[in-house]
Every structure is written in C-alpha cells, then in structure tokens.
Amino acid sequence: MVTYLSLAAGLLLLLFCGDLLVRGAVALATRLGIPSMVIGLTIVAFGTSAPELVVSIHAALKGVSGIAIGNVVGSNIANVLLVLGLPAIIYPIICDQPAIRRNTVIMLGSSALFTFLCWHGELHFWQGALLFLLLILFLAYSAHYAATCPEAVSGEVDELIEEGALPAGSGRITVYLLAGIIGLPLGAHLCVTSATEIARTFGVSEAAIGLSVIAIGTSLPELATTVAAALRKQADVAVGNVIGSNIFNILGIMGITAMVKSIPVPPNFLFFDLWVMMIAAVLILPFALARTTITRSAGAVFLIGYMSYLYFLFLADQAASGM
C-alpha cells in the first residue's frame, strides 16, 4: 500500500510542480519583456515536458533504462491513441491547424530516426546530441514560421495571461519556480523507486510499468484538458499539441537523457513497442495531410487500439518473464 501511495504521490508532484514551474517561468519571462511567441516555443514547450524529462533522467541515472525509454515511447503512444481517441469519441476533432502537415511529417521522421538509433542497442551521447540538435533546428524553424505566419502562433501564453493564471509579484514567482525545481526531482524519485518496486512485486518488467502506468500518469494533464475541450466542442487544438509533445519527447527528452547517460535499449522495444509508436504516428498522417476530421468511429479505433496495446504489452511481458 505504501508503494502505491508513493507512486501516486510522485505522479501528483510531477503534475502539480510541473504546472507551477511553467507558470512561474512564463510570469518571469513576461516580466523581462520576452515575446510570447518565444515563451511559447521554449519555456512552455520545455516546461510541459519537464515531468517526463526528470523521470527519464532519474531512471537513466539509476540504471532503469526500461523506465527511461518506456516513459517517452509510452507517452507518445498514449498521446495519439488515448489523448486523441477518447475526446474524438465525445466530439469529432478537425485537423486544420496551421503547419499541421509539416509538424506531422517531422514527428514521423523523428520517430523513424529514433527507432533507427535504438537498433544500435544503446543510445550514447552522440546520438542524444544529434536528437537535441534537431530539436534546436525545429524550434528555430518554428520561430521563423511563426514570425512570418502570425496566425500559426499558439495563444497558450496569452490565455495564461488573460485568465490571470500567472503569479503576480516577485515573491510568488520565486515560490512557483522553487516549487517546480524542488518538487519535480522529488516526484521523479518517488515514481521511479515505487514503480521499480511494484514491477518486482508483480514480476513484470520496469519497461512495462514505464510504458503504461508512468506514461499514462504523465499524459493525464493533456488528456484532462483535451476531454474538457471536447465537452465544449473545442478540442481541435489537441492535435497540434499532441504532435508537438511527441516531437519534444523524442528529440528533447531522449536527446537530453542520452547526453546525461548512455541508455541500453531493452530488446522488447525493438520488436514491439517502437513499432507501435511508429504505427500511432502514421495513423495521424492521413488526417493531417488531408486536413480532415478525426471522427467518432476513428476515435473508437484509436481507443480500442490503445487498450489492445496495453493487453499485449503485459501479455508479452509475462511470456518473457516466464521464459
């Protein structure tokens, strides 16, 4: 029971402190006069991925590579099949956002490159540096595109300002930043430690826990936001957010984590999980290229696909542990 409470507390810390870090950093950047476009492309983008980042780095440093990689791969799978599938059942999602075609192709290319690099059996510093360099190039290109196409700029930062969701005053900003900086590593420690203990107790791999429980937990804010938007019939922005998150997960989180410490790739990732991630990325492609609608029936297929993935994930894990 203590282990489960520790895992729940870790996830709550990651989600709550990650949100505080984003709000505090955005408030500070706004005070310093940094344009909202730059804030959106950097601070918000990195800040919303902070929970996944600290979990992967902490897991890599502890030698739990299954969680380090599974957190990212599992999040990318959940982002497409769960975060888009469930809201689409509530209300169809139109894929007509600016730059969606370009970013979908970039997401697919990033997924393919990451899968190729994993086939070497281990992600080293140079591979992490390559992924992170590509992220910098993607951000630079996105900034150029946003500058020439103002309609493509996300209004996320402006919404935070307008809703009064940012801390006011230097004292509150400092508290928000410190809470994020201190709380995120603590949450990551609780998550990785308790998830490893649960895996040992039930005889499943750390990778399976990372691909399922931790991945779903770190994707909960996106899922909650998207479901709420679908209930208001305004979930169209979710597609762009999911694609951007998946690009950041691969190029940013895995790039930085591999530069911190080399990560061995568990064999089951090469023959199952990475391919499911690739299939999930491909599923978005026709909707993005045609700028059409993810219908309720398509959403149901996405959701059934995710439930099937979780079933076969644990089935394959049990078969491997029984060998």
Side-chain angles (χ1 to χ4, degrees):
M1 181 60 70
V2 174
T3 306
Y4 294 119
L5 291 175
S6 178
L7 177 60
L11 288 172
L12 286 174
L13 270 175
L14 287 173
L15 303 180
F16 181 68
C17 293
D19 182 62
L20 290 180
L21 180 64
V22 170
R23 295 177 189 273
V26 170
L28 178 61
T30 303
R31 274 196 162 201
L32 295 175
I34 298 175
S36 53
M37 179 193 75
V38 176
I39 297 174
L41 288 171
T42 55
I43 295 173
V44 173
F46 277 102
T48 51
S49 295
E52 290 92 337
L53 177 61
V54 292
V55 166
S56 290
I57 291 178
H58 190 81
L61 291 175
K62 290 195 67 174
V64 191
S65 61
I67 291 180
I69 300 179
N71 172 46
V72 166
V73 174
S75 289
N76 278 23
I77 295 171
N79 278 347
V80 175
L81 300 182
L82 179 62
V83 174
L84 289 183
L86 183 57
I89 293 176
I90 298 172
Y91 192 79
I93 300 173
I94 302 175
C95 303
D96 61 350
Q97 300 75 29
I100 189 170
R101 295 175 179 173
R102 180 205 67 191
N103 288 352
T104 301
V105 172
I106 291 174
M107 179 190 67
L108 191 56
S110 301
S111 302
L113 174 62
F114 177 65
T115 300
F116 172 75
L117 293 177
C118 284
W119 276 92
H120 289 79
E122 190 169 1
L123 295 172
H124 298 285
F125 178 88
W126 73 268
Q127 293 154 316
L130 172 62
L131 292 173
F132 191 69
L133 174 61
L134 290 175
L135 175 63
I136 299 301
L137 293 175
F138 169 69
L139 289 176
Y141 182 78
S142 297
H144 172 73
Y145 180 82
T148 56
C149 303
E151 71 276 6
V153 179
S154 171
E156 188 171 358
V157 176
D158 295 329
E159 288 176 9
L160 286 173
I161 297 173
E162 291 171 3
E163 293 173 3
L166 300 180
S170 301
R172 289 192 65 188
I173 292 175
T174 302
V175 169
Y176 274 49
L177 291 174
L178 287 176
I181 293 170
I182 296 171
L184 282 172
L186 177 59
H189 173 74
L190 291 173
C191 274
V192 173
T193 303
S194 55
T196 304
E197 184 63 32
I198 291 171
R200 289 172 181 165
T201 301
F202 286 94
V204 299
S205 67
E206 291 94 350
I209 298 294
L211 287 160
S212 56
V213 178
I214 295 180
I216 294 173
T218 53
S219 294
L220 279 178
E222 292 90 345
L223 179 61
T225 301
T226 308
V227 168
L231 291 172
R232 298 192 306 268
K233 302 180 180 180
Q234 298 173 346
D236 298 344
V237 72
V239 181
N241 290 341
V242 161
I243 293 171
S245 175
N246 283 10
I247 294 172
F248 259 84
N249 283 347
I250 292 174
L251 300 183
I253 294 175
M254 290 313 306
I256 294 173
T257 304
M259 287 193 291
V260 171
K261 185 177 181 180
S262 295
I263 309 170
V265 181
N268 56 296
F269 277 76
L270 302 176
F271 301 103
F272 182 53
D273 304 293
L274 287 171
W275 296 108
V276 176
M277 182 186 74
M278 284 295 302
I279 291 171
V282 170
L283 284 175
I284 299 183
L285 192 61
F287 296 101
L289 292 181
R291 300 186 71 147
T292 186
T293 302
I294 301 177
T295 61
R296 287 188 173 91
S297 57
V301 171
F302 280 21
L303 195 57
I304 291 171
Y306 188 64
M307 296 298 107
S308 301
Y309 165 68
L310 291 180
Y311 173 77
F312 285 108
L313 168 65
F314 285 101
L315 191 66
D317 193 74
Q318 288 179 353
S321 62
M323 293 177 61

